Amino acid sequence: MSTRSIIRGVATGTMAVAIAAGGAMVSSPQAAATAPQEQRASEQGRSAQQLQSVRIRTFANKCLDVARRSHADRAPIIQYRCHNAPNQKFRFERAGRGQYRIKTFANKCLDVERASHADRARIIQYRCTNGANQKFRVERAGRGQYRIKTFANKCLDVERASHADRARIIQYRCTNAANQKFRFQR
């Protein structure tokens, strides 16, 4: 059988990747825990970085992006046209209790700024502190899309449902709107 006719889950340790029709689409982080052991073994030759890094695509078909490829604390997370630079790659690491730390190319964590519970609080990168504001839950939203929920039980949101480059990523009460749904892509 060819890869066009088989969909196979490949455990990455932190994410699960489904390979279909010659392309790669990323499944939910929860799927990694249930992928068969032999599939894990078949991919051990690849580097962990290759397998764990994903792009997070927005409703506007753009990608989450660490602004200006910054390595600094408090660099904003924005939406920007997708490209192959590392500042659009993120790694999901288990944080226990169904939560994940989402790490950037700078080895920092996505962070709800100042541990705010408020709507419109910015999502930034910040050195990893293991704080609650750096832990996220991922929920299915249907049609291969996911909501990413914060510690305040709010959703990551492309501010004002903008289609523009550089639109800020914020937390906002969950509304089930398109601008709060994301796709994962390897």
Side-chain angles (χ1 to χ4, degrees), residues 93-171:
E93 292 184 353
R94 292 180 192 278
R97 299 183 180 194
Q99 298 175 317
Y100 296 88
R101 277 182 291 282
I102 304 172
K103 296 188 91 173
T104 70
F105 78 110
N107 207 31
K108 297 186 184 253
C109 288
L110 292 196
D111 181 292
V112 178
E113 192 170 36
R114 295 186 169 91
S116 176
H117 285 76
D119 283 343
R120 294 195 169 84
R122 290 188 326 157
I123 305 301
I124 60 172
Q125 88 173 352
Y126 198 80
R127 74 183 181 297
C128 299
T129 64
N130 206 31
N133 62 316
Q134 294 184 346
K135 295 177 183 172
F136 300 87
R137 292 187 184 280
V138 178
E139 294 180 352
R140 290 182 188 273
R143 296 184 168 179
Q145 298 175 321
Y146 296 87
R147 277 184 288 282
I148 302 172
K149 295 184 89 172
T150 70
F151 78 110
N153 205 31
K154 296 184 185 266
C155 288
L156 292 197
D157 181 291
V158 177
E159 191 170 38
R160 294 187 170 92
S162 175
H163 284 76
D165 282 345
R166 297 185 181 84
R168 293 188 329 168
I169 305 303
I170 60 172
Q171 82 173 356

Side-chain angles (χ1 to χ4, degrees), residues 26 44 49 62 70 75 91 118 132 157 166-167:
V26 178
Q44 285 178 345
Q49 184 69 19
K62 297 185 184 260
S70 177
R91 293 183 323 264
D157 181 291
R166 297 185 181 84

Side-chain angles (χ1 to χ4, degrees), residues 47-61:
S47 76
Q49 184 69 19
Q50 276 182 310
L51 292 173
Q52 295 174 9
S53 294
V54 297
R55 283 192 239 173
I56 303 172
R57 290 178 95 66
T58 70
F59 79 108
N61 205 27

Side-chain angles (χ1 to χ4, degrees), residues 8-12 35-46 51:
R8 142 182 97 109
V10 179
T12 66
Q37 192 70 19
E38 58 273 8
Q39 290 173 343
R40 285 188 197 127
S42 72
E43 291 296 321
Q44 285 178 345
R46 290 185 159 171
L51 292 173

Side-chain angles (χ1 to χ4, degrees), residues 64-72 75-78 87 105 125 166:
L64 263 57
D65 182 292
V66 178
R68 297 174 305 281
R69 297 184 188 178
S70 177
H71 285 76
I77 305 302
I78 60 172
N87 64 313
F105 78 110
Q125 88 173 352
R166 297 185 181 84

